[in-house]
Amino acid sequence: MQKAFDKVWKDGLLVKLQRSNISGNMYRWIKSYLHNRRARVLVDGHCGRKVLLRHGVPQGGVLSPTLFILFINDLVQEESKQHCMQMTWSYGAQKSMQQQQPTGCNLH
């Protein structure tokens, strides 16, 4: 999961926050939480220079899992919808193209 947290597209996440009706002070606070974050590495007692983190949500942050779930939530829904559509087509082809959909798929 750590690498997944590192891959979150911050600007895309901010758009999704707005689409979820998160605005005002809460939106500005989360935006501030995500941007201008820096990190450095400590190896054998030697500290590297600080580097600007361009992507991701902070690891170990209490808010980070929630932000990650919000970021991937619509991706999971879209993937499920496409999978069900493919299953419907395959099922229909096998059943002489009957207008039935597989169990567990809700395309509405």
Side-chain angles (χ1 to χ4, degrees):
M1 280 307 272
Q2 289 178 351
K3 291 188 184 221
F5 278 35
D6 289 340
K7 302 296 181 186
V8 172
W9 175 39
K10 291 179 186 179
D11 291 333
L13 174 58
L14 292 172
V15 168
K16 291 180 183 192
L17 287 170
Q18 290 176 326
R19 287 182 183 164
S20 298
N21 295 322
I22 296 173
S23 60
N25 288 336
M26 180 61 74
Y27 175 82
R28 286 188 292 277
W29 182 78
I30 293 171
K31 184 177 180 180
S32 175
Y33 176 74
L34 293 173
H35 285 285
N36 297 317
R37 296 191 73 89
R38 297 181 183 279
R40 63 179 167 195
V41 179
L42 177 65
V43 179
D44 294 327
H46 299 285
C47 263
R49 64 180 177 84
K50 288 185 178 180
V51 178
L52 180 66
L53 301 175
R54 298 182 189 273
H55 304 286
V57 293
Q59 293 183 20
V62 175
L63 189 57
S64 297
T66 302
L67 293 174
F68 179 75
I69 289 169
L70 180 65
F71 182 71
I72 66 165
N73 188 45
D74 61 337
L75 301 175
V76 173
Q77 290 172 353
E78 185 61 31
E79 179 64 29
S80 295
K81 184 177 176 182
Q82 288 180 3
H83 176 72
C84 284
M85 290 174 79
Q86 289 172 350
M87 287 176 52
T88 301
W89 183 85
S90 296
Y91 185 81
Q94 293 172 359
K95 295 287 187 178
S96 302
M97 300 304 284
Q98 295 175 355
Q99 293 291 331
Q100 298 180 16
Q101 81 181 30
T103 304
C105 288
N106 183 0
L107 297 178
H108 304 289

